[in-house]
Amino acid sequence: MSPSRARATTALALLLLATTACTAAEHGSTPAPHPLPMSRQAKQLQLPLDAYASTVAETHLVEDAQDLLMRRCMNDRGMEWKLLPPVAAQDIESQNVGRYGADESEAARYGYHPRPDPPSVARRNRAWDERDALPAEVQQAAYGRSGKGGCLKTAQHQLVGDTPPPDYHAFNQLTGTALETSRRTPEVRNALRTWHACMAKAGFNYPDPFAAADSERWETTEPTVTERATARTDVACQKSAKLVAVWTATETRIQHRLIQQNSDRLHEAKARKDRWLAAARRVLERYGG
């Protein structure tokens, strides 16, 4: 993330970033450099704890509202502030991307390499990067000397006042626990063994799909023929092992239990998130036209 984006990211955005980071790391000690492309089944994957997370669209909503308030503040200081371009709804990926499995069409084209950003996502990322090139006086007005002051601080206070940020650590911790716990259950271990045997029969020796995606062999600029062939076999073996279906059912059961055990903490986190979203919608309705 660019320095300006790190400064401007709201607590709600941090909730989303923590979510995606933890799902990459939960299966082992180091996140895979090549995020797993998702199957059609996994793209539609919904888990109980998702209700307490923040979607990409919700994060963009808060960013956009905050950006409008920052523009008003910067204009009051006699400076221009270019708003972030919107991201098209069809370009927003599922919040569970990378959780279990690989996509057949993407595996054939990209292997384990991430697919290129859609145009609207690329435009927004460029806009964040362009903010790093703003003159020093503009950056200081926007972010203050600390990176958390200036119009950023003003905008955040106008947006939510003293409302504390959501407890993103609660979701982050529990979704990691659910994934690791489900991975150790007999049913998921059996499905992984079936997947492994299928891959071994095709000549590929990986203990699980995460290890396949994390192979150093794929540290190339473009996906190789071997990488695409491995990913295609990975997809076929996941289908034959019913891995996504088995893992989803198992983790869903575990997440329901964790929600019951942590209901007070999660409900408070969701209430805070909802207050941030409601405030953002009011700002967009008032100033976004």
Side-chain angles (χ1 to χ4, degrees), residues 118-177:
S120 66
V121 174
R123 284 193 296 271
R124 194 174 181 97
N125 288 340
R126 283 197 300 271
W128 280 114
D129 292 338
E130 287 169 2
R131 291 185 175 181
D132 290 333
L134 292 172
E137 62 188 65
V138 177
Q139 292 211 29
Q140 184 168 329
Y143 306 119
R145 293 185 182 276
S146 66
K148 299 179 181 179
C151 283
L152 171 63
K153 183 177 181 179
T154 299
Q156 289 179 338
H157 188 268
Q158 290 175 344
L159 181 65
V160 293
D162 296 325
T163 300
D167 181 11
Y168 59 85
H169 180 69
F171 170 83
N172 206 25
Q173 180 185 54
L174 294 174
T175 192
T177 297

Side-chain angles (χ1 to χ4, degrees), residues 32 47 61 80 101 115 148 162 180 208 235 247 249 287:
L47 293 167
L61 186 148
E80 294 185 1
R115 68 181 177 90
K148 299 179 181 179
D162 296 325
E180 275 303 306
D208 55 44
V235 169
W247 208 328
Y287 301 119

